[in-house]
């Protein structure tokens, strides 16, 4: 049974940093590209970063480029999202997801098969 579990969310002031972690079990971790998504109340879920199987390819939307960095440690079945210079508009539930897409990655949420339950990030002004 595949399990995807996020951690590391919390309350932080604007300009601060957080690092989210995601551990995925029950699958061959290095056979999956991974992604981070977020969803604020009343808004659609959007991708904030993805990473290919071995970490050679990453993609970010313009809204977080230069502030967020995604990485993974295949030996630990874990992916990370380092978030710096946080803004109040980054407040959302953050989700980790696994995609069978290989040799690249995508921010299209329809390409992801397995999702975690989310971790809340709140940025105060």
């Amino acid at each position: 049974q595949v399990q995807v579990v996020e951690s590391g969310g919390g309350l932080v002031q604007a300009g601060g940093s957080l690092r989210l972690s995601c551990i995925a079990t029950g699958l061959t971790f290095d056979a999956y590209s991974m992604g981070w998504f977020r969803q604020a109340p009343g808004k659609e879920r959007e991708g904030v970063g993805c990473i290919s199987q071995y970490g050679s390819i990453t993609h970010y939307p313009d809204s977080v480029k230069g502030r967020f960095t995604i990485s993974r440690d295949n030996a630990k079945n874990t992916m990370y999202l380092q978030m710096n210079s946080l803004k109040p508009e980054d407040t959302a539930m953050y989700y980790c997801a696994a995609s069978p897409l290989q040799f690249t990655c995508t921010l299209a949420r329809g390409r992801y098969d397995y999702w975690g339950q989310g971790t809340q990030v709140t940025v105060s002004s």
Side-chain angles (χ1 to χ4, degrees):
Q1 181 180 356
V2 176
Q3 286 193 314
V4 180
V5 180
E6 306 92 338
S7 62
L11 174 64
V12 64
Q13 287 190 328
S17 298
L18 278 177
R19 188 176 84 151
L20 306 183
S21 299
C22 166
I23 184 165
T25 58
L27 51 72
T28 303
F29 189 70
D30 62 9
Y32 285 79
S33 57
M34 301 292 293
W36 284 102
F37 294 78
R38 68 185 179 187
Q39 188 167 19
K43 294 188 176 181
E44 288 194 356
R45 193 170 297 190
E46 63 171 348
V48 295
C50 69
I51 187 166
S52 58
Q53 299 156 267
Y54 299 107
S56 60
I57 295 172
T58 57
H59 292 306
Y60 305 92
D62 288 344
S63 58
V64 308
K65 200 171 291 183
R67 300 189 299 122
F68 290 11
T69 303
I70 193 170
S71 61
R72 64 190 292 164
D73 183 342
N74 287 349
K76 297 181 179 179
N77 279 29
T78 302
M79 175 179 65
Y80 305 96
L81 183 67
Q82 178 67 42
M83 304 185 293
N84 298 329
S85 303
L86 282 162
K87 305 175 181 180
E89 51 264 44
D90 294 318
T91 295
M93 186 72 77
Y94 282 70
Y95 299 90
C96 167
S99 168
L101 184 65
Q102 297 192 347
F103 309 117
T104 186
C105 70
T106 179
L107 296 176
R109 62 181 187 268
R111 299 300 300 271
Y112 287 80
D113 290 349
Y114 303 108
W115 292 82
Q117 294 299 306
T119 186
Q120 177 68 37
V121 172
T122 303
V123 185
S124 63
S125 57

